[in-house]
Amino acid sequence: MKLVVWLLAIAMAAPQTVEARFKPSTSSDAFTRDQEIQIGQQVAAETNKKLPLLPDSDPITKYVQQLGAKLVVHAPGEKWPYTFHVINQKEINAFAIPGGPIYINLGTIQAADNEAQLAGVMAHETSHIVLRHGTRAATKQMEAQLPLQILGALIGGSGILAQLTLMGISFGVGSYFLHNSRQSENEADLMGTDIMYDAGYDPKQMAEFFRKLEAQGNAGIQFLSDHPNPGNRVQSVNNEVATLPPKHLVENTPEFKRVKQLAMARHPLTAEQIEQDQGVAPGQSTGEIIGSIPAPTTTLQKLNNNAFEIGYPSNWKVYGDPSSSVTIAPDGGVAQNAVAYGVIIDDFQPETNLSLDAATHQLITNLRQSNPDLRTVGSDESIRVNGVPGRSQEMIGTSPIKQGNQALQERDWLVATQRADGIVIYLVFIAPEKDFSKLRPTFEQMLRSFKEK
């Protein structure tokens, strides 16, 4: 008996292998592991052609790849074929493509104060891949469009990426499915915390980096657009850290200091310069047709309304009375007396004095009563619109545009804010599902310019 107790005491005293322990939510995923890898490889091949990547031989890229390799050893679950790339871009951002590819802007390395902060961004992106957030979100959308048996037949066949494109699903740069929900962000924060801890880095530095970007405003706007704050981000990470056994954790290394010096000596391209390199002049349309409309210009002109102001592409038009509700749409964006491409801005008076959350739900109910085909996708979320509290809800409906005799699927993005008198000012950004991801950057740019008066 004494021997058993002695052995048990030895086992309890021995160092334990600690691996990521956060338990995420679960939801259906219609894609197999091999399909997800195939999608990731094909999307990455296109991405690598479009973006100015630093070569693999560059010392900054080598360092990022080595840091990535150190982190993914501790990534739980499936062992994905991770690859790490550095984009020669000034804006602070990073993103993960389903199946393994991870991209870090050079501006992110320049902005990080220490190796733990950069490791935090990379662990966060690694977690999006582990948790399969991209394909889970795509599955949710497809289930809203098609019966499961048809869905299974579609993605089970050959040419999976082409089939997804026809359904309006895209994982390319700037697509809807690389914009993470607040729940996905919270899950990636918590799993990223565990991965950082297991790799020996102080996870609090991940939350500190995100807090720093929020404090900088426009400097971190691209990153925070793709990675919205799920709420109490710093406290959430600290709570997860508190569940982990104390141990020595690293904030910085001489290697990071050396690589940051190299990065600070570089002059990365801005997003606008990258567009120019691709043949898009500032303020000009690409000339490409999105569905039945020309692509929007990259600069905005301003609309002043009695209740708000907003910027919109210079090749779009304002319809309606600018003093009340308005529609802003491109040529060809209004079909059969309905908006197919563009944004509707209007106000809504709730029946009683309600909170923004309750008033938004009442608004959605009213919109669905007038349009029975309209369905919500996921849950509505809290956002900030130029510093003002707002609510965001994605919806799917029927577009007035037809392909042959078949009406196209439409995505509507509702954003609502509330005035002091209780009236809700809301915007509905509209496009056919297959084109929405292409217009989303324009819609987000317009939303960032929106201000109540």
Side-chain angles (χ1 to χ4, degrees):
M1 182 68 174
K2 288 182 179 179
L3 179 60
V4 173
V5 172
W6 179 75
L7 290 173
L8 180 60
I10 292 291
M12 293 177 65
Q16 300 296 308
T17 300
V18 181
E19 292 298 333
R21 61 217 43 84
F22 163 66
K23 304 301 181 188
S25 64
T26 58
S27 64
S28 60
D29 196 320
F31 300 86
T32 67
R33 178 181 184 275
D34 289 344
Q35 286 172 334
E36 192 154 338
I37 291 172
Q38 178 189 346
I39 290 169
Q41 289 173 343
Q42 292 178 1
V43 173
E46 290 300 314
T47 302
N48 296 349
K49 294 176 184 176
K50 294 178 179 178
L51 296 179
L53 302 184
L54 298 185
D56 287 344
S57 59
D58 190 293
I60 296 177
T61 303
K62 286 183 177 180
Y63 164 78
V64 168
Q65 291 173 341
Q66 290 166 1
L67 178 56
K70 182 177 180 181
L71 292 168
V72 299
V73 166
H74 301 281
E78 293 275 6
K79 298 305 176 185
W80 300 94
Y82 296 98
T83 57
F84 293 88
H85 312 270
V86 180
I87 307 169
N88 186 35
Q89 183 168 339
K90 181 179 180 179
E91 286 80 11
I92 302 166
N93 207 6
F95 61 90
I97 291 172
I102 294 174
Y103 294 80
I104 311 291
N105 282 9
L106 185 59
T108 304
I109 301 172
Q110 293 177 330
D113 293 329
N114 52 55
E115 185 164 288
Q117 290 185 1
L118 179 59
V121 172
M122 295 170 65
H124 179 97
E125 296 305 326
T126 299
S127 299
H128 282 308
I129 292 173
V130 172
L131 295 164
R132 307 184 71 180
H133 282 149
T135 51
R136 284 170 60 185
T139 298
K140 185 181 295 185
Q141 174 175 321
M142 292 188 295
E143 286 176 344
Q145 296 181 44
L146 294 171
L148 286 177
Q149 62 270 26
I150 298 177
L151 174 60
L154 276 176
I155 68 170
S158 59
I160 180 172
L161 205 57
Q163 292 288 351
L164 293 177
T165 301
L166 290 174
M167 297 175 68
I169 307 293
S170 167
F171 295 104
V173 178
S175 76
Y176 168 73
F177 297 98
L178 295 189
H179 288 71
N180 298 292
S181 69
R182 280 163 176 75
Q183 179 179 337
S184 295
E185 282 298 289
N186 185 56
E187 292 179 352
D189 283 351
L190 297 180
M191 181 169 284
T193 294
D194 294 337
I195 292 173
M196 287 184 72
Y197 171 89
D198 293 337
Y201 292 103
D202 181 1
K204 293 181 180 179
Q205 289 299 315
M206 173 176 62
E208 172 60 22
F209 184 68
F210 291 170
R211 185 204 62 75
K212 172 184 171 182
L213 294 187
E214 289 182 331
Q216 289 180 344
N218 287 341
I221 198 165
Q222 184 177 357
F223 187 94
L224 295 171
S225 174
D226 292 347
H227 303 80
N229 189 338
N232 299 317
R233 180 168 240 155
V234 174
Q235 188 60 48
S236 180
V237 169
N238 288 342
N239 290 344
E240 180 71 8
V241 172
T243 69
L244 306 172
K247 74 174 184 179
H248 174 69
L249 296 168
V250 172
E251 279 191 11
N252 211 3
T253 66
E255 183 65 7
F256 175 81
K257 293 177 181 179
R258 183 185 71 82
V259 168
K260 173 144 186 189
Q261 275 190 325
L262 292 175
M264 294 305 292
R266 306 285 179 90
H267 301 284
L269 302 172
T270 64
E272 186 175 288
Q273 288 172 325
I274 292 171
E275 286 184 350
Q276 290 180 43
D277 287 346
Q278 294 175 349
V280 184
Q284 299 299 313
S285 164
T286 61
E288 295 176 354
I289 300 297
I290 298 177
S292 59
I293 66 167
T297 56
T298 56
T299 54
L300 303 182
Q301 58 185 351
K302 186 179 292 185
L303 167 66
N304 279 306
N305 180 278
N306 292 339
F308 62 85
E309 64 179 47
I310 190 171
Y312 63 95
S314 58
N315 62 340
W316 288 20
K317 297 177 181 178
V318 177
Y319 299 86
D321 182 356
S323 65
S324 56
S325 64
V326 298
T327 293
I328 306 175
D331 287 333
V334 179
Q336 300 178 17
N337 296 318
V339 180
Y341 295 87
V343 56
I344 297 172
I345 310 172
D346 205 346
D347 59 46
F348 168 69
Q349 176 67 67
E351 294 174 3
T352 57
N353 291 329
L354 298 175
S355 66
L356 174 59
D357 181 44
T360 302
H361 290 166
Q362 191 177 100
L363 168 61
I364 291 170
T365 298
N366 285 9
L367 292 174
R368 294 188 66 186
Q369 286 174 349
S370 60
N371 186 353
D373 289 338
L374 202 60
R375 306 188 305 279
T376 56
V377 179
S379 302
D380 59 294
E381 299 178 339
S382 297
I383 62 171
R384 305 291 293 184
V385 181
N386 248 317
V388 175
R391 301 295 294 183
S392 170
Q393 175 68 65
E394 302 275 347
M395 298 180 287
I396 287 178
T398 302
S399 173
I401 294 179
K402 292 185 177 182
Q403 197 165 41
N405 294 323
Q406 185 69 37
L408 295 180
Q409 195 87 37
E410 176 181 280
R411 180 170 288 270
D412 298 337
W413 176 27
L414 170 71
V415 176
T417 63
Q418 191 170 35
R419 297 189 333 208
D421 60 6
I423 292 177
V424 173
I425 306 293
Y426 68 93
L427 307 89
V428 184
F429 298 96
I430 303 165
E433 184 65 64
K434 66 185 183 65
D435 294 325
F436 194 92
S437 63
K438 301 172 191 174
L439 283 169
R440 192 175 187 98
T442 297
F443 291 155
E444 290 179 347
Q445 186 184 15
M446 293 175 70
L447 184 61
R448 288 194 292 269
S449 74
F450 178 80
K451 293 180 183 178
E452 288 185 23
K453 292 183 177 178

